[in-house]
Amino acid sequence: MSEKIQKTLRDSAGMRWTALLLLAMAMFCSYIFMDILSPIKDLMQSTRGWDSTAFGTMQGSEVFLNVFAFFLIFAGIILDKMGVRFTAVLSAAVMLVGACVKWYAVSDGFIGSGLETWFNENLNYIPIFDELGVSPFYQGMPASAKFAACGFMIFGCGCEMAGITVSRGIVKWFKGREMALAMGSEMALARLGVATCMIFSPFFARLGGEVSVSRSVAFGVVLMCIALIMTIVYFFMDQKLDAQTGEAEEKDDPFKISDLGKILTDAGFWIVALLCVLYYSAIFPFQKYAVNMLQCNLTLTAPDAESFWAQPDVTIIQYVIMLIVAAAGFASNFQKKSTYKFSLLALSILALITYCYMGFMRQSAESIFAVFPLLAVLITPILGSYLDHHGKAASMLVLGSLLLIGCHLTFAFILPMFKGSAVGGIIIAYTTILVLGASFSLVPASLWPSVPKLVDAKVIGSAYALIFWIQNIGLWLFPLLIGKVLDATNPGVTDPTQFDYTAPLVMLASLGVAALILGFVLKAIDKKKGIGLELPNIQQGN
């Protein structure tokens, strides 16, 4: 029988991974823009008059429409009705619009404009929202912060839409193939966006010796243009794949109101949802303040303006070294020959030490925090493989929560003790940030694969939609709370590098304690009911 088998784009490893790269690069760009102002919080206060409350309110606005206008649910419906490729392009376009609004809000052109006057005179009171204490604006909030919040709300709608769309796209192209590796690779690249932001946002803000926060946001806008181009190219690739297979786009079951009762009475759903909101609320909001927290707790002395370490080119060199750390560490997990494996691992460790040394010499809080995702990139494939072959998901959740608590308490109480020690403080900071990054791998890697074991398969799509919505409540609330707590516990402090971060960090550690308790509850339920959370995902005989 000599029947010719027609191959599709999906059968070509090169085309599969090209499709993944297009989607992953779009998420990489969105992760950079998400935290574009985080490493320059001090400059936002000195150049635009944003105190911690204004900064936190603006940062929390990213998910405001997803939470209070239920846009996250609508995004799922759009994805279901219109498919992956349309929704991918739409999400990138929405993110770009929001990014442009945010850029104009912090630009010099906004100062003194009629738009600034309008925002100063309006949106100071929002009926119902003000009474409930959940308004995205407040009396006295700087006009630029209000308008930036509007842009960030729009961006947030596109970003959440992109998140659920990219996952669907990976499933479509890698089903029955290297799906776990593809998802891990996409997550690793997206996490590198955080590090990229931490390095380049301050670089552009201070480029040429003149401070301009709008340059940093403009850099993000350019990246969002690139993300849109990536999704358009993906659109045509995906369209060609469907033409080859003759299949309609695969779609999820839409969110159903009738599912609510079944989901909300499911104990497994509530444990996962609460774990999710507690853990992510202790990580993502923290990222938005982490650089400023380090500025307040480390003794940093800027290098001499004429020295090598003060030159802009050092930023590029340091970023290249960071990419070597990530690429070599990630690739080491997939080498079958021990010689190659350990050679790549050694290269990654050597590059990490070099990067840390450069961060110390540059005396840059942004560079120090940029190591946050690097250990996560290295160990994510290891954790995924361990869960697939050995299980222990619930135990990993407990371990991740313990690490989270330890890191935030270290930042709160131990790091300030080393403020007078230029070397000791930075060593404590680097170590704690790397461990926090490891925790950030442990929990998501074990949490999400556990959801299908805890929630009825008939309502899994609707359950995910509700879990993401509840998660977004925390991502809206805690940036705002951190800002308010900072201002309340630092009365009269005008220097943005002199805040006492103890209270906000203890608050975040308490979220870890609550997550830890839920982790033990989950282990007890698993043991009692035999859910299988501690069992490997790959069963013998399958």
Side-chain angles (χ1 to χ4, degrees), residues 407-463:
C407 289
H408 282 314
L409 292 180
T410 299
F411 286 134
F413 298 109
I414 297 177
L415 186 61
M417 294 167 57
F418 287 82
K419 187 165 185 178
S421 172
V423 177
I426 289 180
I427 290 174
I428 294 291
Y430 271 134
T431 305
T432 310
I433 292 164
L434 285 167
V435 172
L436 187 65
S439 168
F440 193 30
S441 287
L442 276 167
V443 173
S446 50
L447 179 64
W448 297 118
S450 300
V451 175
K453 297 178 181 179
L454 288 162
V455 178
D456 188 343
K458 294 179 181 178
V459 294
I460 191 72
S462 300

Side-chain angles (χ1 to χ4, degrees), residues 31 34-39 41 52 55-63 67 152 160 194 198 275-294 369 372 404 408 411 436 440 470-486 501 504-505 507-509 511-512:
Y31 264 57
M34 192 185 302
D35 279 315
I36 200 72
L37 294 182
S38 300
K41 176 183 180 291
S52 294
F55 183 82
T57 303
M58 191 286 304
Q59 293 283 36
S61 67
E62 179 195 354
V63 296
V67 173
F152 213 23
E160 288 296 331
V194 178
M198 295 300 160
L275 269 169
C276 179
V277 71
L278 289 168
Y279 187 80
Y280 280 89
S281 294
I283 291 286
F284 285 118
F286 171 71
Q287 284 180 192
K288 300 180 185 302
Y289 290 87
V291 170
N292 186 233
M293 183 274 296
L294 292 175
F369 186 71
F372 174 65
L404 177 71
H408 282 314
F411 286 134
L436 187 65
F440 193 30
I470 292 170
Q471 174 188 315
N472 272 241
I473 294 175
L475 299 186
W476 158 76
L477 178 62
F478 280 93
L480 187 153
L481 277 182
I482 294 171
K484 287 183 178 292
V485 171
L486 264 183
Y501 267 85
L505 289 167
M507 178 177 70
L508 295 177
L511 295 179

Side-chain angles (χ1 to χ4, degrees), residues 219-518:
F219 164 64
V221 171
V222 171
L223 290 175
M224 295 320 303
C225 292
I226 294 173
L228 179 58
I229 294 170
M230 294 285 186
T231 57
I232 291 172
V233 175
Y234 174 82
F235 180 98
F236 290 108
M237 280 188 67
D238 195 78
Q239 191 176 52
K240 185 172 181 180
L241 175 64
D242 281 353
Q244 288 177 334
T245 61
E247 299 171 356
E249 285 202 81
E250 185 181 343
K251 298 167 181 176
D252 279 338
D253 291 332
F255 179 83
K256 301 184 184 71
I257 298 297
S258 58
D259 289 340
L260 281 175
K262 188 180 295 185
I263 295 170
L264 296 178
T265 55
D266 189 322
F269 163 79
W270 281 111
I271 291 174
V272 172
L274 290 174
L275 269 169
C276 179
V277 71
L278 289 168
Y279 187 80
Y280 280 89
S281 294
I283 291 286
F284 285 118
F286 171 71
Q287 284 180 192
K288 300 180 185 302
Y289 290 87
V291 170
N292 186 233
M293 183 274 296
L294 292 175
Q295 290 170 338
C296 296
N297 286 304
L298 294 174
T299 301
L300 299 172
T301 305
D304 186 89
E306 301 301 318
S307 73
F308 168 76
W309 301 108
Q311 303 309 308
D313 294 348
V314 180
T315 301
I316 309 299
I317 297 170
Q318 198 175 14
Y319 187 65
V320 171
I321 292 172
M322 174 190 289
L323 294 180
I324 294 172
V325 175
F330 190 75
S332 69
N333 290 286
F334 306 102
Q335 304 302 314
K336 293 183 179 178
K337 290 187 176 180
S338 58
T339 305
Y340 294 155
K341 180 183 183 69
F342 289 111
S343 295
L344 284 169
L345 193 58
L347 174 62
S348 179
I349 293 171
L350 182 62
L352 178 60
I353 293 170
T354 304
Y355 175 90
C356 291
Y357 172 75
M358 293 183 73
F360 169 72
M361 294 303 293
R362 293 186 66 203
Q363 293 287 288
S364 164
E366 310 91 69
S367 294
I368 293 169
F369 186 71
V371 302
F372 174 65
L374 295 186
L375 191 57
V377 171
L378 172 63
I379 69 173
T380 295
I382 300 172
L383 293 174
S385 177
Y386 188 88
L387 283 166
D388 282 342
H389 294 91
H390 303 285
K392 304 297 181 183
S395 298
M396 282 195 181
L397 286 170
V398 169
L399 177 58
S401 299
L402 282 170
L403 292 176
L404 177 71
I405 297 165
C407 289
H408 282 314
L409 292 180
T410 299
F411 286 134
F413 298 109
I414 297 177
L415 186 61
M417 294 167 57
F418 287 82
K419 187 165 185 178
S421 172
V423 177
I426 289 180
I427 290 174
I428 294 291
Y430 271 134
T431 305
T432 310
I433 292 164
L434 285 167
V435 172
L436 187 65
S439 168
F440 193 30
S441 287
L442 276 167
V443 173
S446 50
L447 179 64
W448 297 118
S450 300
V451 175
K453 297 178 181 179
L454 288 162
V455 178
D456 188 343
K458 294 179 181 178
V459 294
I460 191 72
S462 300
Y464 269 122
L466 271 177
I467 289 170
F468 289 142
W469 180 74
I470 292 170
Q471 174 188 315
N472 272 241
I473 294 175
L475 299 186
W476 158 76
L477 178 62
F478 280 93
L480 187 153
L481 277 182
I482 294 171
K484 287 183 178 292
V485 171
L486 264 183
D487 280 337
T489 55
N490 292 272
V493 177
T494 56
D495 185 345
T497 63
Q498 297 300 316
F499 289 122
D500 180 352
Y501 267 85
T502 304
L505 289 167
V506 170
M507 178 177 70
L508 295 177
S510 68
L511 295 179
V513 172
L516 177 64
I517 293 170
L518 279 177

Side-chain angles (χ1 to χ4, degrees), residues 134-145:
V134 297
S135 177
F137 314 108
Y138 60 86
Q139 180 75 40
M141 186 176 181
S144 57

Side-chain angles (χ1 to χ4, degrees), residues 152-174:
F152 213 23
M153 288 180 201
I154 297 169
F155 171 85
C157 291
C159 192
E160 288 296 331
M161 191 189 301
I164 59 176
T165 303
V166 166
S167 297
R168 174 74 62 75
I170 293 174
V171 170
K172 179 174 183 176
W173 281 80
F174 285 86

